[in-house]
Amino acid sequence: MSLQLLSTSKCYNGEVKRYSHQSKCNNCEMKFHVYLPATISKNAVPVLWFLSGITCTDENFITKSCALQFASREGIMLVCPDTSPRGAGIEGEQADWTLGLGAGFYVDATNEPWSNNYNMYTYITSELYDLVSTSFNIIKDKQSIFGHSMGGHGALISAFKNPSKYRSVSAFAPICNPVTFGENALTHYLGGDKTKWDVYNASVLAKSYQGPQLDILVDQGTADDFLYKLYPDQLIDACKSNSANINLTFNHREGYPHNYWFIQTFIEDHIVFHSKHLN
Amino acid sequence: MSLQLLSTSKCYNGEVKRYSHQSKCNNCEMKFHVYLPATISKNAVPVLWFLSGITCTDENFITKSCALQFASREGIMLVCPDTSPRGAGIEGEQADWTLGLGAGFYVDATNEPWSNNYNMYTYITSELYDLVSTSFNIIKDKQSIFGHSMGGHGALISAFKNPSKYRSVSAFAPICNPVTFGENALTHYLGGDKTKWDVYNASVLAKSYQGPQLDILVDQGTADDFLYKLYPDQLIDACKSNSANINLTFNHREGYPHNYWFIQTFIEDHIVFHSKHLN
């Protein structure tokens, strides 16, 4: 579980670092980026996790989001994991952008041959969570999570399935029900019986969530070409039906598409939202 | 000279766009990115040019600099050109990262076979300048220029050689004398007689600059691996010797390297600096 430092650079008085490590649950080497605010050298800091979307690696968010200035200002550590195992060598792993490399969907695969490597749910919520908690000077019980598209789905399900683990959750254009966008991947990872997918379905999980009041922030562009595959209304309805436990703020952003220009535009809002729950 | 729109996206209420066009002076297709602040739809806006460094394309700065939020706030159009012609098909053009593709050095080549295509000085200061001035709703006499590394060299020489054309100039880790970093490229483009390079040497040009008082801002990281090839002291000395015409602010930034994390950290300072001269 030892970390290997791949690169480091000063940025906003803190540091951007990239690490690799051998993952037990994914049975391969995994890479991730972090941003460490300058304050971490003196005091433990809260942690904010960002889960990226399909085709992304651990590099996209850290490079394109413009988040670091706000993480620096708020004194929050950012963790940016990869979106799938790399190098498992499974046949068909690279054939389609919606399955395999870059499309782990943050679930634990139950079907062969994927189940030996594609265990991104356990990786994010347990293995890497524990590794970060023991490797950096952080406040272990002050962690929040957010993500984009497939990563928004990952952030939502991670929060719903682990009450108290994350203080807040937010998403940019999240997949709120993976039945369409995730059909190819989840059929391979979990099998064709879609009722078995419900344990990773944010719109299903939101209905039954019980735990500390969970504040959720979602931004969704109205010019998003993938909107028909995201099912935001299902999440909105589910959260309304469970308003005793969930407080959802859902913003429709006029004219914004699905890309990182959209994320960049609203990133400060999200980091300030999480900072209120972490600081 | 007609522009072909390659992509567009809303960002910070304005728009990021990428164009291609046929360049007369480079005799090939060229691409560039712009950021148009929302205000351009109602009123003409000032323009800020960014010239990137070796190996970069028109994409690096727009993607990694986090500049758009400040351009939006200040109501300034950004123009991000490419760093060399693409597709001239010259032998050896791709063999070395310091020559050819990605390393145009913002000079007009005089030597065969480069002189037919590698005319980036004329491209930046005349051809694309005129194209931008006639294609967008801008205030033609309110333009400034900045850049990074090779692009810092390009910005400085463009300002020194064209008094009044640019209201201000700034640079991140600029090549202040191209004699070392540019040795490979300039020997090919301009020939082996280094006295002929002086017309593109910022430290030479600074001494003889005459024109409206020119304000220059430079940030230079102290942990820059390329520092020994940049010759910042030559620029500092030259500007001091011509303090009647040039006002240089030179910041040594402790622990910062040569990369985009460094640019990102200080980008707001640079855009605010130019905004004071443009607004």
Side-chain angles (χ1 to χ4, degrees), chain A residues 10 13 66 69 254 256, chain B residues 10 12-13 66 69 254 256:
Chain A
K10 195 170 180 179
N13 216 29
C66 299
Q69 61 194 301
E254 188 64 32
Y256 282 91
Chain B
K10 194 170 182 180
Y12 297 111
N13 215 29
C66 299
Q69 61 194 302
E254 188 63 33
Y256 282 92

Side-chain angles (χ1 to χ4, degrees), chain B residues 50-69:
Chain B
F50 187 87
L51 305 185
S52 279
I54 302 182
T55 75
C56 289
T57 69
D58 61 305
E59 293 194 293
N60 295 68
F61 180 79
I62 203 94
T63 306
K64 298 180 183 177
S65 69
C66 299
L68 278 55
Q69 61 194 302

Side-chain angles (χ1 to χ4, degrees), chain A residues 202-266:
Chain A
S203 297
V204 170
L205 294 168
K207 289 180 193 161
S208 56
Y209 171 81
Q210 302 232 323
Q213 161 99 24
L214 186 61
D215 285 343
I216 307 177
L217 171 65
V218 174
D219 277 284
Q220 173 63 57
T222 63
D224 186 329
D225 285 340
F226 296 114
L227 192 48
Y228 71 102
K229 293 181 176 181
L230 300 174
Y231 301 108
D233 291 346
Q234 291 190 17
L235 179 70
I236 292 169
D237 289 347
C239 291
K240 268 187 198 159
S241 77
N242 191 5
S243 60
N245 298 304
I246 295 175
N247 176 33
L248 170 67
T249 300
F250 195 104
N251 300 312
H252 299 273
R253 301 297 188 178
E254 188 64 32
Y256 282 91
H258 196 72
N259 60 23
Y260 267 88
W261 302 118
F262 162 60
I263 293 175
Q264 196 175 115
T265 302
F266 299 103

Side-chain angles (χ1 to χ4, degrees), chain A residues 48 66-67 69-76 78 144 146 168-170 172 215 217 219 266-279:
Chain A
L48 181 54
C66 299
Q69 61 194 301
F70 307 115
S72 169
R73 186 184 72 194
E74 306 291 331
I76 293 171
L78 292 176
S144 289
F146 67 152
S168 49
V169 57
S170 78
F172 299 91
D215 285 343
L217 171 65
D219 277 284
F266 299 103
I267 190 70
E268 184 176 10
D269 295 352
H270 283 245
I271 292 184
V272 167
F273 165 78
H274 290 294
S275 182
K276 283 179 186 164
H277 292 82
L278 293 170
N279 282 313

